Amino acid sequence: MVMREGAASTGNSSSGSSDWLFTRFRGNPIVTAQDLPYRVNTVFNPAAAEVDGESALLMRVEDLRGISHLAVARSHDGRTGWQFDAKPTFESDPENHPEEIWGVEDPRVTWLPEVGEWAVAYTAYSRRGPLVSLAFTRDFRSFTRLGPAMPPEDKDAALFPRRFGGRWALIHRPSQLRGPSDMWISYSPDLLHWGDHTMLLPAREGAWWDAGKIGLGPPPLETPDGWLVMYHGVHLTASGSLYRLGFALLDLEDPRICLRRSDEWVFGPSEPYERTGDVVGVTFPCGWILDSSTDELRLYYGAADSSISLATARLSEILDYVRSCPAPDRRRHADRR
Ligand code: BMA
């Protein structure tokens, strides 16, 4: 293990810049490529979980070939003093898993109480494009692969923590050849065979912030009001794509039903570390951790495909806001299936 002191100097209790519901941590970025104990290009888009009393980030790390692997960082307070594995934690294994030939990217982790393990949904970069793969871990040290769940092109996936009517559910984002790329939900009795594919959330059209392409952020979070889903919307501009974030709320017992969807984005690139990097104008979270004793939700996100940052919010304030958002027109969704 290698210890990073860097952001620990931000013991200052005053907060960083706010995007209305969210407040950026003053010590952002919390992890950069220079912090890792071996040579890499960038570190970004982390999954997040509380593991053995510590906050663990399962980070996407891009090496100097352009291939990504996953690496773990651990911290006692989820903000500072990050410790890193001395070498890559989860590397692509193209010999046994040819679909990982060009790396593994953008993990989301979900604790499955029934299985007693974390399920990792990640992007495997195959010769025919990105696809969704699944793996299990108990400790964020060793991982067991289940293999591909969705063929290419498909990404931005996470499992729900429990079954619905006996079946597991996976949110994911197939890329459409025609028209916008929307979020879908699919079901499986055994995490291997998937079906009942249903469009969950369509990308909007025209000038909207989430027109053309959307995708899941962190795994859905169970709340008394429904499953809280944060998703990214990609807005094309003359100088590139802007990756901003909004919310949806799904029915607790039938997550195919979207109860609320924010018209506005709630977080987006504004700070220098979000506007400078390998891909400018990107805020891309794959994980969040709720401290239910304090109502604090910690959102971990990749900034400009280059570093990792943290923003915090009150879950109760998020839910107040999401409850005030419009209910989407369900017929419109059904038409587009
Ligand atoms: C998406 C994914 C993310 C990346 C984002 C912006 O398609 O590949 O890993 O952060 O683009 O480049």
Side-chain angles (χ1 to χ4, degrees):
M1 293 285 212
V2 177
M3 176 82 171
R4 181 198 174 215
E5 293 297 343
S9 57
T10 53
N12 190 336
S13 63
S14 62
S15 51
S17 79
S18 285
D19 252 23
W20 167 39
L21 285 171
F22 285 90
T23 302
R24 287 174 177 79
F25 179 52
R26 240 184 133 69
N28 277 350
I30 55 170
V31 181
T32 69
Q34 287 69 43
D35 297 325
L36 265 74
Y38 50 96
R39 203 166 48 237
V40 304
N41 178 43
T42 44
V43 52
F44 52 117
N45 302 3
E50 279 294 303
V51 184
D52 299 331
E54 288 183 309
S55 300
L57 301 181
L58 187 61
M59 314 176 293
R60 171 176 172 189
V61 179
E62 190 185 287
D63 66 21
L64 292 171
R65 300 170 302 166
I67 308 287
S68 291
H69 62 267
L70 308 182
V72 175
R74 295 180 179 80
S75 154
H76 286 296
D77 64 5
R79 289 168 162 75
T80 58
W82 294 96
Q83 299 181 356
F84 303 94
D85 284 355
K87 53 185 180 47
T89 315
F90 183 95
E91 283 187 285
S92 64
D93 178 12
E95 242 169 60
N96 298 307
H97 291 271
E99 72 279 4
E100 296 181 1
I101 178 108
W102 290 326
V104 291
E105 307 179 348
D106 300 355
R108 278 90 171 170
V109 297
T110 306
W111 174 252
L112 305 187
E114 181 189 321
V115 180
E117 293 197 52
W118 298 94
V120 188
Y122 61 97
T123 302
Y125 196 167
S126 80
R127 282 188 189 279
R128 292 292 174 263
L131 56 79
V132 176
S133 272
L134 295 176
F136 278 114
T137 184
R138 279 181 207 282
D139 52 11
F140 283 64
R141 293 176 204 282
S142 65
F143 294 79
T144 311
R145 285 170 170 84
L146 264 74
M150 295 290 155
E153 293 204 353
D154 204 324
K155 50 165 69 171
D156 300 327
L159 280 170
F160 287 80
R162 61 174 167 85
R163 298 176 190 247
F164 301 90
R167 298 183 306 170
W168 300 102
L170 182 85
I171 296 180
H172 56 110
R173 205 285 310 284
S175 290
Q176 259 112 250
L177 282 176
R178 248 168 256 256
S181 291
D182 314 298
M183 285 163 63
W184 288 64
I185 186 167
S186 302
Y187 291 88
S188 170
D190 55 6
L191 296 171
L192 293 171
H193 305 90
W194 294 91
D196 255 348
H197 310 293
T198 308
M199 189 199 285
L200 178 65
L201 219 59
R204 280 185 265 220
E205 291 170 27
W208 282 86
W209 68 273
D210 54 355
K213 189 155 88 165
I214 60 173
L216 183 71
L221 179 69
E222 189 162 11
T223 77
D225 292 329
W227 295 98
L228 181 67
V229 162
M230 178 175 241
Y231 69 95
H232 61 258
V234 185
H235 179 66
L236 287 176
T237 76
S239 55
S241 298
L242 284 172
Y243 279 69
R244 301 180 179 123
L245 305 165
F247 281 121
L249 193 67
L250 311 179
D251 185 87
L252 274 183
E253 292 318 315
D254 184 355
R256 291 170 305 178
I257 300 171
C258 180
L259 305 171
R260 304 280 166 189
R261 179 175 182 176
S262 62
D263 277 346
E264 302 150 312
W265 73 84
V266 297
F267 195 82
S270 64
E271 297 302 300
Y273 50 85
E274 296 158 354
R275 290 187 172 275
T276 320
D278 274 5
V279 186
V280 302
V282 178
T283 49
F284 200 100
C286 293
W288 50 17
I289 295 177
L290 174 66
D291 182 343
S292 35
S293 65
T294 61
D295 189 39
E296 185 190 68
L297 187 66
R298 301 200 303 274
L299 179 73
Y300 295 94
Y301 62 98
D305 282 12
S306 293
S307 58
I308 292 177
S309 278
L310 164 67
T312 58
R314 302 270 148 229
L315 178 62
S316 54
E317 287 177 16
I318 292 176
L319 291 177
D320 283 347
Y321 168 69
V322 173
R323 274 193 298 263
S324 77
C325 291
D329 180 348
R330 286 199 206 128
R331 278 164 312 166
R332 205 176 117 233
H333 287 214
D335 285 349
R336 299 187 47 170
R337 193 172 160 173

